[in-house]
Amino acid sequence: MNKAGEMAIEAAPLGASSPPSPARILVADDQADVREALRLLLKAEGYVTQTASQPSAVLELVQQHDFDVVLMDLNYQRDTTSGQEGIDLLSRIQGIDSKLPVVVMTAWGSVELVVEAMRRGARDFVQKPWDNQRLLSILRTQVDLYRALRRAEQLEAENSLLRAQNRPVFISEARSMRPLLTLMGRIGPSDASVLITGEHGTGKEVVALTLHALSAPARASHPMITVNTGGLPEGTFESELFGHVKGAYTDARLDRVGRFEMADHGTLFLDEIANVPMKQQAKLLRVLETGEMERVGSSKTRKVDVRVLSATNADLKLESAEGRFRSDLLFRLNTVELHIPPLRERREDIPLLAAHFLRAYAGRYRKAIQEFEPGALRRMMEHPWPGNVRELEHAIERSVLICVGDKIQASDLGLESGAAGASKIEDMGLEEVECLLIKKALARHSGNISHVADALGLSRSALYRRMQKYGL
Ligand SMILES: Nc1ncnc2c1ncn2[C@@H]1O[C@H](COP(=O)(O)OP(=O)(O)OP(=O)(O)O)[C@@H](O)[C@H]1O
Ligand SMILES: [Mg+2]
């Protein structure tokens, strides 16, 4: 923390990523000596291989693991010459993962079979006995293409989601907030699941962004993906979170990457978690427990490495005691719980936050406003802030727009002066209304007196007299 009480965290640049993991190749052939020869060749090139001797084992492995390429023979025991078993296998692999590249191996001279395999979606072929260099070059090309495709798919999904990525700045110097700040500093770098609680507008999302930015560099360099779990229409929950494959729904014309996959190696922020219906809670629990999920319509299990942060303004323990929230899910989510107190319980933070928002909005709207009148500060310190920091932020933005001088006045804030609700025009005195109208017109015309006088149907001198009277 610096002197001003700001905990400013430098987020690592987006897009930096950890070194690529070794490519995984599935080798399928019913001849043990062929499998062994290929395994040794590929191992020497730094590939991780798994082998299978028959079609059923291939399908099982493709379902359970992520491979970068499959290298498979077309002939198996059942009928060793036609290649039909291999062609069937190829189609079934495509059914599980249409993007996974498959390279087929055939005996010399079986041109028909090669053509058929390529027509069915094989990416390339080698004829036995193979030439090592040609085989390696084919595999390298397929691995590179596949990885580039997957990365592009993930990036596109992330880009369409990422809002303007501001560096998170969590401001606080209230004594009552110190334990929270200490705890954030301590658990940020871990992978712990954190449940962030607090009223509306207390800063739950800022805390989530801060925790993500404090994560281990490999994670912090990936984005934090936010999903408003409570706001998803019933039918779209699974597809949003887990993605779907082409054809999973009548209007699913393309594969779709879900938020869990987008957040792979990064952080997933599940907002408004208390509103997730019971039925969906079970689905969420599974991926949180195992890190495994399937896209809707696909039986291929994918593993994701995601740190999960969640937030709610409800009392989840109560929700759970009353049977509306699964206790096992709650247990998964709140390895650590961070509670952010409402603004009215940490009033020392008000001037600091107000100054921060004033700087930000004066900059955005190009206004030379430096500070608050003492009356404005007093008004802010007295206000109960039911909408917490977000309400404060909006009040400052509005006052920057309305303010005509170089200091924010109490009246610019648009807060009621007493316990009563915000002034309605029918409850105002005539002079108050006149003052308000003049202020609005001044704001609208950027302080241009002639334009304001025209707009209000006053002479310039009549306008000046009134401005003097109201201290404008
Ligand atoms: N400590 C803080 N320092 C700086 N800005 C803050 C802080 N707390 C909140 N804000 C700002 O206040 C606004 C509301 O915060 P945020 O969206 O994180 O609240 P929330 O608790 O997630 O609210 P909701 O429950 O309504 O989703 C945001 O614009 C945020 O940047
Ligand atoms: Mg929020």
Side-chain angles (χ1 to χ4, degrees):
M1 256 190 294
N2 62 24
K3 277 234 176 68
E6 296 183 8
M7 195 162 93
I9 283 114
E10 197 77 54
L14 283 173
S17 53
S18 34
S21 51
R24 295 173 63 98
I25 301 189
L26 174 55
V27 174
D29 199 298
D30 59 349
Q31 284 178 278
D33 53 340
V34 172
R35 290 198 302 273
E36 188 53 16
L38 287 169
R39 197 182 66 75
L40 291 174
L41 171 69
L42 296 173
K43 188 175 168 205
E45 291 294 312
Y47 291 111
V48 174
T49 49
Q50 259 182 292
T51 56
S53 59
Q54 45 179 311
S56 58
V58 173
L59 294 173
E60 206 166 298
L61 284 167
V62 169
Q63 295 243 8
Q64 285 167 356
H65 302 277
D66 282 331
F67 290 102
D68 293 278
V69 62
V70 178
L71 174 63
M72 56 170 264
D73 189 29
L74 284 175
N75 293 313
Y76 292 85
Q77 267 118 3
R78 206 167 38 141
D79 93 63
T80 47
T81 49
S82 78
Q84 200 47 51
E85 226 182 329
I87 297 287
D88 286 349
L89 177 58
L90 175 61
S91 300
R92 294 178 65 183
I93 293 174
Q94 307 253 291
I96 297 171
D97 185 347
S98 61
K99 297 198 176 70
L100 178 60
V102 177
V103 175
V104 297
M105 295 182 283
T106 60
W108 265 112
S110 41
V111 178
E112 297 284 300
L113 197 53
V114 166
V115 172
E116 175 68 0
M118 298 295 280
R119 236 172 35 81
R120 298 290 190 99
R123 298 293 163 78
D124 214 331
F125 68 95
V126 279
Q127 294 193 309
K128 288 177 175 174
W130 65 85
D131 170 62
N132 280 351
Q133 287 321 311
R134 174 168 148 74
L135 175 64
L136 290 172
S137 137
I138 287 176
L139 292 177
R140 216 170 9 249
T141 306
Q142 292 303 330
V143 167
D144 290 349
L145 281 174
Y146 182 56
R147 292 201 161 185
L149 183 75
R150 283 185 60 161
R151 187 73 198 125
E153 205 183 43
Q154 194 189 16
L155 275 181
E156 193 184 301
E158 283 168 13
N159 287 343
S160 63
L161 257 178
L162 289 177
R163 301 187 216 130
Q165 276 278 332
N166 290 324
R167 195 181 65 169
V169 181
F170 189 82
I171 293 173
S172 184
E173 64 176 14
R175 182 172 282 276
S176 60
M177 292 285 276
R178 286 200 197 145
L180 178 76
L181 295 184
T182 311
L183 196 54
M184 276 165 67
R186 213 173 291 151
I187 59 171
S190 77
D191 268 351
S193 302
V194 183
L195 175 67
I196 306 162
T197 60
E199 291 180 7
H200 275 304
T202 43
K204 296 185 290 297
E205 188 153 357
V206 193
V207 166
L209 281 166
T210 307
L211 291 174
H212 171 64
L214 287 171
S215 304
R219 190 173 299 287
S221 67
H222 286 83
M224 178 178 103
I225 302 290
T226 297
V227 45
N228 182 347
T229 31
L232 296 175
E234 178 98 31
T236 64
F237 182 90
E238 275 189 275
S239 157
E240 278 289 331
L241 265 74
F242 309 125
H244 63 233
V245 291
K246 193 167 118 183
Y249 308 102
T250 38
D251 55 351
R253 277 184 295 265
L254 294 171
D255 284 6
R256 174 184 194 185
V257 179
R259 311 275 173 126
F260 268 99
E261 276 185 81
M262 280 180 215
D264 201 8
H265 305 298
T267 299
L268 185 65
F269 178 46
L270 302 172
D271 208 358
E272 314 282 358
I273 189 82
N275 300 338
V276 177
M278 277 303 236
K279 210 168 88 206
Q280 327 286 22
Q281 288 176 24
K283 292 176 183 147
L284 209 48
L285 179 63
R286 174 175 167 241
V287 48
L288 296 184
E289 275 181 336
T290 62
E292 289 180 347
M293 43 142 280
E294 290 93 31
R295 291 186 183 177
V296 178
S298 160
S299 56
K300 182 187 163 69
T301 303
R302 289 161 197 265
K303 225 172 161 51
V304 284
D305 162 24
V306 167
R307 180 184 196 181
V308 175
L309 305 175
S310 50
T312 181
N313 46 40
D315 180 349
L316 274 193
K317 292 202 183 76
L318 181 73
E319 295 293 302
S320 161
E322 296 186 347
R324 285 185 298 273
F325 200 85
R326 295 179 66 118
S327 53
D328 45 7
L329 180 57
L330 174 57
F331 177 73
R332 277 283 151 198
L333 296 173
N334 74 345
T335 309
V336 182
E337 184 169 333
L338 287 182
H339 177 71
I340 314 176
L343 191 54
R344 62 185 173 280
E345 287 176 16
R346 47 176 167 123
R347 291 187 181 274
E348 309 98 286
D349 279 345
I350 293 174
L352 204 62
L353 285 163
H356 166 72
F357 293 133
L358 177 59
R359 253 196 324 275
Y361 287 107
R364 178 179 306 177
Y365 297 121
R366 297 174 207 283
K367 292 239 188 165
I369 308 168
Q370 303 287 339
E371 53 184 343
F372 297 95
E373 277 286 330
L377 271 176
R378 218 175 310 121
R379 179 76 56 87
M380 288 192 280
M381 292 303 276
E382 285 164 2
H383 188 70
W385 301 111
N388 293 295
V389 184
R390 179 178 296 112
E391 184 188 0
L392 175 64
E393 181 174 354
H394 286 165
I396 307 290
E397 179 178 14
R398 173 185 186 283
S399 64
V400 165
L401 286 168
I402 284 179
C403 180
V404 282
D406 59 359
K407 286 184 184 161
I408 305 274
Q409 315 282 324
S411 54
D412 295 332
L413 291 164
L415 304 172
E416 73 275 23
S417 46
S423 328
K424 281 201 218 126
I425 211 151
E426 35 286 69
D427 301 332
M428 288 171 136
L430 206 53
E431 292 195 337
E432 261 180 293
V433 175
E434 188 175 64
C435 170
L436 182 74
L437 287 178
I438 295 173
K439 266 202 247 168
K440 290 200 163 186
L442 280 165
R444 210 167 36 245
H445 297 284
S446 311
N448 182 316
I449 300 295
S450 309
H451 291 176
V452 173
D454 278 347
L456 295 174
L458 293 172
S459 67
R460 283 169 59 101
S461 55
L463 175 60
Y464 271 126
R465 264 201 311 281
R466 283 173 173 78
M467 284 172 63
Q468 241 169 0
K469 178 171 153 197
Y470 300 125
L472 297 173

